[in-house]
Amino acid sequence: GQTLASGMVMDQSTEVTSSLTPGAPQKYATRMEVEVYQKPTALKPGAAALEIGFHRFTAEMTMGGQKVPLPGIEDLKKIRLSLQIGERGQMSEAALQNPDELSEQARQLAGSMAKSMTQNAMVFPEKPVEVGESWSADQEVPAQIPGAAELRMQVKSTYRLAAVETVRGLSCARITTEIKLVLHGKAE
């Protein structure tokens, strides 16, 4: 199939609350700028298998206003992932295709990225939306945190079509995302 190349700037804010630490939410912010390619490897009714890679990848993360180092970030443009994608953008079965070409830190980041893509990927609305309108998706996923047993995470993602802009002569959607995570579990 034909390879699609695109650019994306993603600003994401996340607030995590937990029954393990009531009243103490953690706030995270991430900014990524990527030039990504997507190449279909198989088509099925309602889904496609893709190879995804990066021509350029930069990222910054803060937690509680403090910058978090991201070792291995420079290797991320070497990543090649395979995944399944549904009609509304739901992603599943993300897997790293080239682990031997990456540093250990980049492999760990790629593993986290693959997991994040399947758990936190943007889901498009079921019907067309106008600028200013929102839609949401809910998901519950298992989570692993040392010192906690039976931990699960409820994820509520709310998306808003903020604007439709022209970028390099193409019509582009500016979509804002708010993700709320609630952790449930018991301390060990």
Side-chain angles (χ1 to χ4, degrees), residues 47-156:
L50 300 176
E51 176 184 308
I52 293 181
F54 304 96
H55 296 300
R56 184 175 68 87
F57 192 113
T58 61
E60 265 185 24
M61 182 176 180
T62 59
M63 182 171 76
Q66 300 293 320
K67 191 171 180 177
V68 176
L70 298 171
I73 196 77
E74 61 282 347
D75 278 352
L76 291 184
K77 68 180 183 179
K78 299 177 188 174
I79 291 174
R80 286 194 338 265
L81 297 170
S82 64
L83 60 86
Q84 302 286 321
I85 187 165
E87 291 174 321
R88 292 183 53 215
Q90 320 88 304
M91 295 184 187
S92 62
E93 301 175 36
L96 181 60
Q97 295 300 298
N98 60 334
D100 297 338
E101 297 175 21
L102 303 173
S103 67
E104 178 60 30
Q105 291 169 327
R107 279 194 299 273
Q108 289 175 359
L109 284 171
S112 295
M113 181 186 300
K115 184 176 180 179
S116 178
M117 290 175 83
T118 58
Q119 293 178 351
N120 301 319
M122 186 173 96
V123 176
F124 291 99
E126 292 181 27
K127 60 181 180 59
V129 294
E130 298 291 328
V131 171
E133 291 184 324
S134 299
W135 67 99
S136 62
D138 295 310
Q139 184 178 20
E140 185 170 294
V141 296
Q144 296 177 336
I145 294 178
E150 303 174 25
L151 193 61
R152 64 190 193 289
M153 182 169 43
Q154 288 181 290
V155 181
K156 180 174 181 86

Side-chain angles (χ1 to χ4, degrees), residues 17-22 140-141 143-145 147-154 182-188:
T17 58
S18 169
S19 60
L20 300 174
T21 55
E140 185 170 294
V141 296
Q144 296 177 336
I145 294 178
E150 303 174 25
L151 193 61
R152 64 190 193 289
M153 182 169 43
Q154 288 181 290
V182 179
L183 295 174
H184 300 278
K186 299 182 219 173
E188 290 184 331

